[in-house]
Amino acid sequence: MHHTVEIEGLSYSYPDGQLALENISLKIGPDEKVALVGPNGAGKSTLMLHLNGLLRPDSGAVRVGGLPVTEDNVGQIRAWVGLVFQNPDDQLFNPKVFDDVAFGPLHMNLTEAEVRTRSMEALDAVGMSGYAGRISHHLSLGEKKRIAIATVLSMEPKILVLDEPTAGLDPRARRSLINLLDSMVCTMLIATHDMRLVAECFPRTVILDEGKIVADGQTESLMTNEPLLAAHGLEKP
């Protein structure tokens, strides 16, 4: 159950009263890779922030691994759900790369040896094992994005949630990150405008527009429906 996400009838309004999400229902199974696409302002990032309790719905329910996202469970759920923000500078705040990646495990009552093992394994998983001693501030955007993913992987999450992971990357860095995401075996939800990434790595796609799910199905099928894509500001890859 740890690898599942269940959202039922979720609605959420911003503090100014604007409706951001309306009656969202979505189930993601173990090790399923799902892309969340739609125009800017559709509510993609807002939906993602509900998965580890950073936002709470006005109505409806969110369950992760069978547990409702409530105050009593949010600590456990945040250990299960690894959230990678669009801007890696929101996650990298230590001087050295290793310190950033080790930050989470250091707060998990692990031994020093266990922290080091987890951190180095996470860096190795994203192809950055030689960067442990580097200064995060001096890295390229693509390198920072990989390190941001490593900071989450070191926590050994059951579910990986990524917001626009390829945004702003040059072609080489983008290809490198796509290969990484494609190789990973875990439950994954990604919000993106990169339709080629979706077509290549994500068998299922959910289209969100104006806070509502307007389509949910096999990526291959949705990507051939050009009128549907055009109606929601999307282009065929």
Side-chain angles (χ1 to χ4, degrees):
M1 287 294 288
H2 292 180
H3 303 253
T4 60
V5 174
E6 299 169 279
I7 301 170
E8 291 184 4
L10 185 155
S11 293
Y12 175 79
S13 295
Y14 296 125
D16 64 3
Q18 179 185 350
L19 186 63
L21 298 170
E22 183 177 358
N23 195 30
I24 298 290
S25 293
L26 180 66
K27 292 185 178 181
I28 302 174
D31 294 339
E32 188 175 15
K33 291 185 175 182
V34 179
L36 188 62
V37 302
N40 287 333
K44 300 186 296 296
S45 298
T46 302
L47 179 59
M48 287 182 155
L49 293 175
H50 281 81
L51 298 186
N52 67 355
L54 288 175
L55 293 177
R56 303 294 173 88
D58 299 331
S59 60
V62 180
R63 288 188 296 276
V64 175
L67 289 181
V69 180
T70 61
E71 201 60 46
D72 289 342
N73 297 329
V74 74
Q76 177 63 73
I77 286 168
R78 285 177 181 167
W80 287 343
V81 178
L83 182 59
V84 182
F85 296 106
Q86 178 176 348
N87 184 353
D89 289 331
D90 291 338
Q91 285 178 264
L92 306 179
F93 47 85
N94 282 294
K96 295 287 182 67
V97 165
F98 179 84
D99 297 330
D100 269 321
V101 180
F103 182 82
L106 277 171
H107 292 80
M108 296 176 69
N109 297 319
L110 302 173
T111 67
E112 186 176 337
E114 288 171 327
V115 169
R116 179 162 188 83
T117 297
R118 276 202 188 198
S119 302
M120 293 310 297
E121 285 178 350
L123 283 168
D124 187 55
V126 299
M128 302 292 281
S129 55
Y131 283 67
R134 298 279 294 273
I135 298 172
S136 301
H137 177 67
H138 293 164
L139 302 180
S140 70
L141 178 61
E143 290 166 340
K144 285 181 178 180
K145 291 210 174 193
R146 281 176 168 264
I147 298 300
I149 294 172
T151 67
V152 168
L153 294 183
S154 66
M155 303 281 288
E156 297 186 355
K158 307 297 183 184
I159 299 161
L160 196 57
V161 179
L162 303 105
D163 194 359
E164 297 285 1
T166 59
L169 297 184
D170 63 42
R172 178 180 292 179
R174 176 184 168 278
R175 170 49 50 192
S176 179
L177 188 58
I178 287 175
N179 291 343
L180 170 65
L181 296 178
D182 195 35
S183 70
M184 297 175 72
V185 180
C186 66
T187 306
M188 189 181 296
L189 178 67
I190 180 174
T192 185
H193 287 94
D194 188 340
M195 301 299 279
R196 286 187 296 157
L197 163 65
V198 174
E200 193 166 333
C201 302
F202 292 84
R204 178 181 167 198
T205 295
V206 175
I207 300 177
L208 193 68
D209 198 357
E210 295 184 345
K212 299 177 183 178
I213 291 177
V214 296
D216 180 354
Q218 290 189 325
T219 298
E220 187 175 0
S221 175
L222 292 182
M223 291 300 167
T224 60
N225 189 337
E226 294 189 45
L228 173 68
L229 296 177
H232 300 288
L234 303 168
E235 291 185 353
K236 184 178 177 180

